[in-house]
Amino acid sequence: MQRIRAVGREAAAKKYDILSAMMAHALTGDPHDQRLVLRLMALITTRYNWQSDELTIGQREIARLWCVDERTVKREMARLRVLGWIIVKRQGARGRVSVLGLDLDRILLDTRPAWPNIGPDYVARMGSETEPAGTGAAPADTTVVPFRRPEIAAEAGLWGAARALLAAEDRALFDAWFAGLADGGVEQGCLTLIAPSRFHAAYLRTHLIERLRIAVRRAGGHVAQIRIEAG
């Protein structure tokens, strides 16, 4: 998936598409998830700068907008960070609020299962927007019976649970980069993963470390660091 930015000549349409994806995703969830997404959409529509990818607003202002107390704001913003939907671009200090950003790629990846509820035209449009150039689906060959890959079940341990989430999220990416990782265990707040080669380890550190962090957080892991070593 390429980096999504709602800027340029078609910026307005892209903004509506992203908000529509969030809306459709929320409507498939339980009331808690619906409220969380609605609260984020309120921040986006009132305070988010699409051009610079910056959300700058204090907890007191958020509490007033959401009609909640500041403790609820802290809890809900923490949930959004765990999901990977919100990232901290610059930590607040000396009376200045933190500068936050949105990971639009992550949002679109998580909301993708709900896109068909909007309509086939939306799926076709967003599919072409989020696939890298040159990777469009080739016409189906009806003479070939597709091979159904077995699902990856969650295994014991933090990495066992995280790898199942990664496989369910994007099986092709999982097979290429995550399936070959071995669990090196957790020690002093650091999860160690063993890659098949130095190139493999370097690629993961450079391009996919954030996706690994999100999967580990969603698996319930509270580690401060993920270290990738070559086997």
Side-chain angles (χ1 to χ4, degrees):
M1 183 177 287
Q2 64 186 8
R3 187 70 183 169
I4 302 299
R5 294 193 67 200
V7 296
R9 187 173 58 182
E10 300 180 353
K14 290 179 181 178
K15 293 173 186 176
Y16 277 115
D17 282 340
I18 292 167
L19 292 171
S20 295
M22 296 173 65
M23 171 204 66
H25 171 76
L27 292 173
T28 65
D30 61 33
H32 299 289
D33 292 335
Q34 291 175 3
R35 186 166 55 234
L36 179 66
V37 175
L38 175 62
R39 286 170 171 168
L40 177 57
M41 291 176 72
L43 291 178
I44 292 173
T45 55
T46 59
R47 289 291 184 268
Y48 180 59
N49 186 321
W50 294 89
Q51 188 73 32
S52 62
D53 178 32
E54 290 187 353
L55 176 64
T56 308
I57 182 172
Q59 290 184 354
R60 185 174 301 175
E61 294 176 86
I62 297 175
R64 184 171 61 246
L65 176 63
W66 288 357
C67 300
V68 297
D69 56 35
E70 291 188 40
R71 189 162 63 179
T72 299
V73 170
K74 291 180 181 179
R75 184 178 65 248
E76 295 286 75
M77 296 299 281
R79 287 181 63 194
L80 290 167
R81 289 195 299 272
V82 168
L83 286 173
W85 287 26
I86 278 183
I87 57 176
V88 178
K89 299 181 69 174
R90 192 160 59 249
Q91 191 69 48
R94 296 181 182 178
R96 295 185 178 181
V97 301
S98 297
V99 177
L100 308 175
L102 299 181
D103 189 336
L104 298 179
D105 292 340
R106 182 78 244 178
I107 291 173
L108 291 177
L109 183 63
D110 287 344
T111 59
R112 195 165 194 157
W115 293 359
N117 296 344
I118 301 176
D121 59 325
Y122 181 88
V123 175
R125 181 171 68 255
M126 293 299 288
S128 63
E129 284 283 340
T130 56
E131 290 297 333
T135 61
D141 186 349
T142 57
T143 65
V144 177
V145 177
F147 175 71
R148 183 178 178 84
R149 290 173 293 190
E151 294 184 1
I152 302 296
E155 300 175 359
L158 177 58
W159 175 237
R163 73 192 303 272
L165 293 175
L166 289 165
E169 181 178 282
D170 188 328
R171 186 56 188 270
L173 188 69
F174 172 83
D175 289 343
W177 295 105
F178 300 129
L181 292 175
D183 188 355
V186 178
E187 186 175 352
Q188 296 182 346
C190 177
L191 169 65
T192 299
L193 300 173
I194 311 300
S197 67
R198 284 188 294 178
F199 169 78
H200 198 120
Y203 186 92
L204 288 169
R205 293 189 208 106
T206 303
H207 300 286
L208 297 171
I209 190 66
E210 189 58 32
R211 186 169 287 209
L212 281 169
R213 289 194 186 104
I214 291 172
V216 169
R217 286 201 300 264
R218 292 184 178 185
H222 299 286
V223 297
Q225 182 183 2
I226 297 176
R227 182 169 60 235
I228 304 174
E229 300 178 350

